[in-house]
């Protein structure tokens, strides 16, 4: 049973516009969420995280929104740049759990078109 | 900055060969992990270790084993490589604890092709 779902395998966005990547989770015990970015032939790199005590976290062009009641989070990239083209993984965990329990979604491939 | 180094970036091995993938981290992290990444399947945990000489199975341990003789080093072993083990293998590490301790840091990956 997939506890973290990224229902869009791919997304194309024009350069300069907003990219919105979505993630849904089913386990109500999850209270810490992370986004990773992965370029081809490289390992994933940590991008941004959010704790369930917040509903928004911002870091430059990247903002993550958390809707606990809907068990939904989204990553907004504004403005999108060609260098943002990558696969984005959403991940979730329950605080206090070991990191091995970090549950990943299957990823969304973002293509930013110049 | 956390540095997780995978010694082999690209390998081609024959079916039945024994394969070693080596990983070293320089942040004194207790936890180390091996994942594989396949298109459409995301990141799947093979094995993890929370201490020297300790290992635990992840979601897909079949066909793999691991070794952790030193804190900074975690090796993945394919005892007899098969074509369905062709994949990108990712080593990772983290420190214990909540919050930022749940952030896993990945190496650059090892592309393994089994022919």
């Amino acid at each position: 049973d997939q506890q973290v779902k990224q229902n869009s395998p791919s997304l194309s966005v024009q350069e300069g516009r907003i990219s919105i990547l979505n993630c849904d989770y089913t386990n109500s015990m999850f209270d810490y969420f992370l986004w990773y970015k992965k370029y081809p032939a490289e390992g994933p790199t940590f991008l941004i995280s959010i704790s369930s005590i917040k509903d928004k976290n911002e870091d430059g062009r990247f903002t993550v929104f958390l809707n606990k009641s809907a068990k939904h989070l989204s990553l907004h990239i504004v403005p999108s740049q060609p260098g943002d083209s990558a696969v984005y993984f959403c991940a979730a965990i329950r605080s206090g759990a070991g990191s091995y329990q970090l549950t990943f979604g299957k990823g969304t491939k973002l293509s930013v078109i110049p | 900055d956390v540095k997780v180094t995978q010694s082999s970036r690209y390998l081609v091995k024959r079916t039945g060969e024994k394969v070693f993938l080596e990983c070293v981290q320089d942040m004194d992290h207790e936890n180390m992990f091996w994942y594989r990444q396949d298109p459409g399947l995301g990141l799947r945990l093979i094995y993890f270790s929370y201490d020297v000489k300790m290992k635990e199975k992840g979601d897909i341990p079949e066909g793999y084993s691991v070794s952790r003789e030193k804190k900074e080093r975690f090796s993945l072993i394919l005892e007899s490589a098969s074509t369905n083990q062709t994949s990108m293998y990712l080593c990772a590490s983290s420190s214990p604890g909540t919050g930022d301790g749940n952030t896993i840091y990945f190496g650059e990956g090892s592309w393994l092709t089994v022919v």
Side-chain angles (χ1 to χ4, degrees), chain B residues 8-27:
Chain B
S8 302
R9 292 298 313 278
Y10 301 96
L11 306 94
V12 179
K13 297 292 182 181
R14 295 194 179 278
T15 300
E17 273 193 83
K18 191 168 186 176
V19 181
F20 292 87
L21 299 179
E22 306 286 345
C23 174
V24 176
Q25 52 96 2
D26 66 358
M27 282 303 292

Side-chain angles (χ1 to χ4, degrees), chain A residues 46-104:
Chain A
F46 169 70
L47 189 58
I48 192 169
S49 63
I50 188 166
S51 164
S52 61
I53 62 173
K54 295 183 174 181
D55 53 18
K56 176 182 172 181
N57 189 25
E58 203 169 344
D59 183 3
R61 296 186 296 111
F62 301 90
T63 303
V64 56
F65 295 92
L66 176 62
N67 182 335
K68 290 186 287 292
S69 60
K71 294 193 183 68
H72 176 83
L73 63 155
S74 59
L75 175 68
H76 292 213
I77 306 173
V78 182
S80 301
Q81 299 174 354
D84 297 328
S85 297
V87 176
Y88 290 80
F89 291 99
C90 171
I93 194 167
R94 173 181 59 83
S95 289
S99 334
Y100 66 91
Q101 293 180 318
L102 193 62
T103 302
F104 288 90

